[in-house]
Amino acid sequence: MNDDAVMRRIAQRDAAAFSHVVDSHAERLHRIAWRMIGDAAEAEDVAQESLLRLWAQAGAWQSGKAGIGAWLNRVAMNLCLDRLRRRRFASDEEVPERADDSPAADALLDSERLRAQAVAALGALSERQRAAIVLTYYEELPNTMAATAMDMNLKAFESLLFRARAAMREALAARGLISLERAA
């Protein structure tokens, strides 16, 4: 019996005709899938799904085409390729909601080293100069509020802040964090 006749019988839901196709092609489909995927259980699934698609689409069979074997081979190959593509993207981890934009470990270490040196430079200042820098740059207080917090008039605070900046530049330059030529 030719392929077109077998497919007409399968389209009419002839179990014997379908059983004949299964007996003739299932082993080859399994071999193809096993060689492609490398997993016996998945190869069995591919072979079965290929045959089930033949059963489901038997009514749409077009006479004079390549034949049942070629059609099943193509379906099995496509199923294998789909599974291999899914494997590439499969992971046991949950997919993050967004990309991790946190700095890399070496950047964190550099940042921490710089922060520690800046804190040490700040600590080298006199208490009043340190207070002027902290209130102005870390707490972002306007000069008038910083002067009030230090119980100083505005002109005296601005003079103290000027000297504090110069001392901070020198302390940072001593630690190699800035160049005094560039900072001036």
Side-chain angles (χ1 to χ4, degrees):
M1 190 171 0
N2 72 21
D3 286 349
D4 293 338
V6 171
M7 289 305 294
R8 276 193 299 275
R9 287 180 53 195
I10 293 173
Q12 295 168 354
R13 300 302 180 230
D14 183 333
F18 184 68
S19 181
H20 170 72
V21 170
V22 170
D23 291 343
S24 301
H25 299 282
E27 189 177 329
R28 187 184 68 257
L29 295 172
H30 185 270
R31 281 193 314 266
I32 290 170
W34 185 83
R35 287 185 176 117
M36 285 293 295
I37 298 173
D39 181 277
E42 276 195 88
E44 183 67 29
D45 290 347
V46 166
Q48 288 178 10
E49 188 172 345
S50 300
L51 291 162
L52 285 173
R53 286 189 182 188
L54 181 81
W55 176 263
Q57 297 174 16
W61 180 260
Q62 295 178 357
S63 300
K65 296 288 181 173
I68 294 173
W71 189 90
L72 285 169
N73 291 344
R74 187 175 61 247
V75 170
M77 189 59 66
N78 287 338
L79 290 170
C80 289
L81 292 173
D82 288 346
R83 286 173 184 253
L84 290 171
R85 284 184 200 112
R86 272 184 267 150
R87 274 188 192 171
R88 268 189 281 181
F89 300 108
S91 173
D92 291 342
E93 297 179 22
E94 285 190 32
V95 176
E97 299 232 353
R98 61 182 175 87
D100 183 9
D101 56 0
S102 61
D106 58 342
L108 287 173
L109 290 173
D110 286 345
S111 176
E112 179 56 30
R113 182 184 59 80
L114 289 172
R115 190 196 68 72
Q117 289 185 353
V119 167
L122 184 62
L125 302 179
S126 73
E127 291 176 7
R128 290 176 60 80
Q129 288 177 342
R130 188 178 328 136
I133 295 287
V134 167
L135 291 172
T136 303
Y137 293 102
Y138 289 90
E139 297 303 316
E140 300 177 351
L141 293 180
N143 287 355
T144 53
M145 291 181 71
T148 302
M150 292 186 68
D151 197 24
M152 299 175 75
N153 72 41
L154 183 59
K155 283 280 194 197
F157 176 79
E158 288 174 346
S159 177
L160 173 65
L161 184 59
F162 179 82
R163 290 190 311 276
R165 287 183 191 135
M168 186 69 174
R169 274 193 299 274
E170 288 176 18
L172 291 172
R175 287 166 174 75
L177 298 178
I178 64 167
S179 166
L180 285 178
E181 294 83 42
R182 196 179 64 191

